[in-house]
């Protein structure tokens, strides 16, 4: 009834999922996942992919609907895993104390900055530009 193909098709069907397995050490996996899995959840939402992590064999399985989503996800993961210093972190002031300021990053982490006046002065300079 059916005939077999003599070689695999060169292109995947549009509806076929793209799956790729990446290998990273446990430390890099922790950085990629982030506190409370906020970073990996953010990547999943941004690129509409599914990421499964296995710490035992130090792998991440990415399942994407398109080649573009898969490549963008891999690039984002590579930036996070390498600890790219050029990556911008957006912060907002969450509390002002007598001794300093508490700022919250876009990943939800809070940091205390001792020199409140310097920090607020720098923020005002950025806003006036």
């Amino acid at each position: 009834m059916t005939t077999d193909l003599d070689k695999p098709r060169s292109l995947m069907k549009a509806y076929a999922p793209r799956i790729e397995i990446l290998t990273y050490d446990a430390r890099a996996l922790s950085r990629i996942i982030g506190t409370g899995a906020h970073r990996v959840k953010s990547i999943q939402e941004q690129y509409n992919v599914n990421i499964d992590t296995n710490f035992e064999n130090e792998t991440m399985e990415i399942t994407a609907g398109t080649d573009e989503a898969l490549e963008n996800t891999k690039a984002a993961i590579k930036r996070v895993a390498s600890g790219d210093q050029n990556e911008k972190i957006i912060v907002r002031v969450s509390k002002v104390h007598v001794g300093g300021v508490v700022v919250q990053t876009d990943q939800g982490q809070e940091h205390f900055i001792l020199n409140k006046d310097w920090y607020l002065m720098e923020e005002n300079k950025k806003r006036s530009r």
Side-chain angles (χ1 to χ4, degrees):
M1 249 196 214
T2 62
T3 59
D4 293 334
L5 297 173
D6 58 343
K7 62 180 181 176
R9 290 186 176 97
S10 59
L11 296 175
M12 291 178 63
K13 297 284 186 182
Y15 53 83
R18 279 62 170 166
I19 300 171
E20 187 149 342
I21 297 175
L22 306 176
T23 304
Y24 287 101
D25 63 11
R27 190 172 192 197
L29 284 175
S30 296
R31 192 177 316 122
I32 294 165
I33 292 171
T35 307
H38 72 275
R39 199 172 281 141
V40 76
K41 286 178 186 176
S42 172
I43 292 171
Q44 289 181 111
E45 288 175 12
Q46 184 176 359
Y47 299 110
N48 196 23
V49 297
N50 184 34
I51 301 173
D52 293 321
T53 309
N54 187 333
F55 274 94
E56 286 181 19
N57 54 7
E58 298 180 336
T59 60
M60 296 186 81
E61 182 179 293
I62 305 169
T63 307
T66 64
D67 290 327
E68 181 182 7
L70 180 64
E71 293 305 316
N72 289 338
T73 302
K74 287 180 1 185
I77 288 172
K78 187 180 264 189
R79 277 194 310 271
V80 173
S82 68
D84 189 358
Q85 299 301 319
N86 295 327
E87 186 177 353
K88 293 183 180 178
I89 298 174
I90 300 168
V91 297
R92 66 177 179 81
V93 176
S94 61
K95 298 173 192 139
V96 178
H97 298 281
V98 175
V101 207
V102 176
V103 294
Q104 188 174 30
T105 66
D106 56 344
Q107 286 94 22
Q109 300 167 330
E110 288 193 335
H111 301 280
F112 183 74
I113 298 177
L114 187 59
N115 193 336
K116 170 182 75 171
D117 297 327
W118 172 84
Y119 180 80
L120 294 175
M121 181 180 70
E122 290 297 315
E123 282 298 305
N124 287 334
K125 282 182 189 176
K126 288 179 190 175
R127 288 185 189 137
S128 64
R129 289 182 197 167

